[in-house]
Amino acid sequence: MEEDRRTAELARKAVEMLAFSYAPYSRHHVGAALETEDGRIYTGCNIENAAFGPTVCAERTAFFKAVSEGVRGFRRIAIAGGIDGVAADFCAPCGVCRQVMMEFCDPDTFEVLLTREDGAVKVFLLKDLLPMGFGPASLHPIK
Ligand code: THU
């Protein structure tokens, strides 16, 4: 089925991104593949820093690449991670990345796909990973 093929491709891209991870301090490599509403894919990896604080996660790299190019609509994100780039177990997104997803995605429909390198995928809705999330609808943006 076409949807299964697309899911497998998104998961594979997240695993492929492990190769680009820059994680000499934690050795925890993470890759992400973010699918836009119109079917494009933005990828990301974690990028660490000797000062630790500037480190950015794979998920946020993917989101910020997309948003910086004017994309605002997202369907789902696949994430893979593991020590030395071996994604043997499922790797869940950190709280900060869940909050960034909350900024740009509908928590009722946006899907987070946890991916292993053997191709196994676990699917969660953002609302289940960030219950009662605080997002744009919680504020009154000045237009
Ligand atoms: N990391 C991610 O890339 N995504 C997450 O959601 C969790 C953590 C990275 C940050 C850091 O480079 C390494 O994993 C260890 O925390």
Coordinates of all heavy atoms in Angstrom, one line a residue, residues 26 28 30 46 48 55 57-59 92-94, ligand 1:
S26 N 28.1 12.8 23.9 CA 27.2 11.8 24.5 C 27.3 10.4 23.7 O 26.9 9.4 24.2 CB 25.7 12.2 24.3 OG 25.3 12.2 23.0
H28 N 25.3 9.6 21.7 CA 23.9 9.2 21.4 C 23.5 9.9 20.1 O 23.3 11.1 20.1 CB 23.0 9.7 22.5 CG 21.6 9.3 22.4 ND1 21.2 8.0 22.5 CD2 20.5 10.0 22.1 CE1 19.9 7.9 22.3 NE2 19.4 9.1 22.1
V30 N 21.2 10.8 16.9 CA 19.7 10.8 16.7 C 19.5 11.3 15.2 O 20.2 12.3 14.8 CB 19.0 11.7 17.7 CG1 17.5 11.7 17.4 CG2 19.3 11.3 19.1
N46 N 21.1 15.4 15.4 CA 21.6 16.2 16.6 C 23.0 16.7 16.3 O 23.8 16.0 15.7 CB 21.5 15.4 17.9 CG 22.3 14.1 17.9 OD1 22.4 13.4 16.9 ND2 22.8 13.7 19.1
E48 N 26.0 18.4 18.6 CA 26.4 18.7 19.9 C 27.5 19.8 19.9 O 27.9 20.3 18.8 CB 27.0 17.5 20.6 CG 25.8 16.5 20.8 CD 26.2 15.3 21.6 OE1 27.4 15.0 21.9 OE2 25.3 14.5 22.0
T55 N 23.9 22.6 22.1 CA 23.5 21.4 21.4 C 22.1 21.5 21.0 O 21.2 22.0 21.7 CB 23.7 20.2 22.4 OG1 25.0 20.0 22.7 CG2 23.0 18.9 21.8
C57 N 18.8 19.2 19.2 CA 18.3 17.9 18.9 C 18.0 17.7 17.4 O 17.8 18.7 16.7 CB 17.0 17.6 19.7 SG 17.3 17.5 21.5
A58 N 17.9 16.4 17.0 CA 17.6 16.1 15.6 C 16.3 16.6 15.2 O 16.1 17.1 14.1 CB 17.7 14.6 15.4
E59 N 15.3 16.5 16.0 CA 13.9 16.9 15.7 C 13.8 18.4 15.4 O 13.2 18.8 14.5 CB 13.0 16.5 16.8 CG 12.9 15.0 17.2 CD 13.9 14.6 18.2 OE1 15.1 15.1 18.2 OE2 13.6 13.7 19.0
A92 N 12.6 8.1 22.1 CA 11.5 9.1 22.2 C 12.0 10.5 22.2 O 13.2 10.8 22.7 CB 10.7 8.8 23.5
P93 N 11.3 11.5 21.8 CA 11.7 12.9 21.7 C 11.7 13.5 23.1 O 10.9 13.2 23.9 CB 10.7 13.6 20.8 CG 9.4 12.7 21.0 CD 9.9 11.3 21.2
C94 N 12.7 14.4 23.3 CA 12.8 15.1 24.6 C 11.6 16.1 24.8 O 10.9 16.4 23.8 CB 14.1 15.8 24.8 SG 14.2 17.4 23.9
Ligands
THU1 N1 18.7 14.3 21.5 C1 18.0 14.4 20.3 O1 18.6 14.7 19.3 N2 16.7 14.3 20.4 C2 16.0 14.1 21.5 O2 14.8 14.2 21.5 C3 16.7 13.7 22.7 C4 18.1 14.0 22.8 C5 20.2 14.4 21.5 C6 20.7 15.6 22.1 C7 22.1 15.1 22.5 O3 23.0 15.4 21.4 C8 22.0 13.6 22.7 O4 20.8 13.3 22.1 C9 22.0 13.2 24.2 O5 21.1 13.9 24.9

